Amino acid sequence: MSLIEQIDKDRLPQHVAIIMDGNGRWAKEKGKLRVFGHQNGVVSVRDTVEGAVELGVKYLTLYAFSTENWNRPKLEVMALMELLVATINKETKTLMQNGVRLNAIGNLKSLPDKCCRQLQETIKKTSDNKACTLTLALSYSSRWEITDAARKLAEDVKDGKIKADDISEEAFASYLSTSGMPDPELMIRTSGEHRISNYLLWQLAYSELYFTPKLWPDFRREDLFEAIIDFQKRERRFGMTSEQLN
């Protein structure tokens, strides 16, 4: 039986989040510059997105560039930004063919103007697609996101748009950049690291975590399928007992 045949399509995670880690190490193992790993990581993104569409996963969020990544060597950051623009431009046709809607979260104002323009053009062009929403977390930090949400909420309380007594978990979540999306049921991290790395801290509260030693440029849709098979074997209790669920 193939991997995809082992998956129960009625119990798919609606939202899968991925930390794409290991591009630099993959390149180093091959005696190449780090940007070579980033370039090959694009192939993994394409295959993973198409695998998600093939399965019927509705939301896929990829950690593409963190606020901490700005601290990397300037040449690597510049190469990453150029690669981002080129990739979005090149992959727009594939997104349209697969019915994928592009979305982005993070401090997008900090991105170079060229990146922002290409990103917004593709977001607009794919806005009517329904098969899957692909969200790129760019210049993203969960602590930044939560702080930004708290600031906006405080301003609305000050302006009388919401009362302090009306602030609930649901109300606060509506100020996050992921508002309108379900929280991820499954988070995957590649490269063998066992950290969340400031990624979707609020949203991952009850997510199942899956770690694989595979470096991101080697990750393919079959690896996504294996992660979902593992996810479907788990009992998600949300604080209750097994007996309560049965």
Side-chain angles (χ1 to χ4, degrees), residues 23 26 47 64 79 86 91 130 137 154 164 197 202 230 241:
N23 289 342
W26 186 88
D47 200 61
E91 296 297 325
K130 305 293 186 186
S197 296
W202 176 282
D230 181 85
T241 66

Side-chain angles (χ1 to χ4, degrees), residues 145-146 148-157 161-162 167 169-179:
E145 177 189 32
I146 292 170
D148 187 61
R151 185 184 303 111
K152 291 175 181 175
L153 180 56
E155 289 174 354
D156 281 354
V157 170
K161 295 178 181 178
I162 184 173
I167 297 173
E169 290 185 15
E170 292 75 18
F172 186 82
S174 71
Y175 284 81
L176 296 173
S177 55
T178 53
S179 176

Side-chain angles (χ1 to χ4, degrees), residues 2 5 46 65 93 107 113 137 139 141 170 192 199 207-208 216 221-222 226 228 236:
S2 68
E5 289 174 328
R46 184 188 306 122
F65 192 86
K93 183 178 178 181
N107 186 10
D113 290 344
S139 193
S141 145
E170 292 75 18
Y199 183 48
S207 301
E208 297 295 324
W216 179 250
R221 70 182 70 191
E222 290 78 16
E226 287 184 355
I228 291 175
R236 308 186 72 216

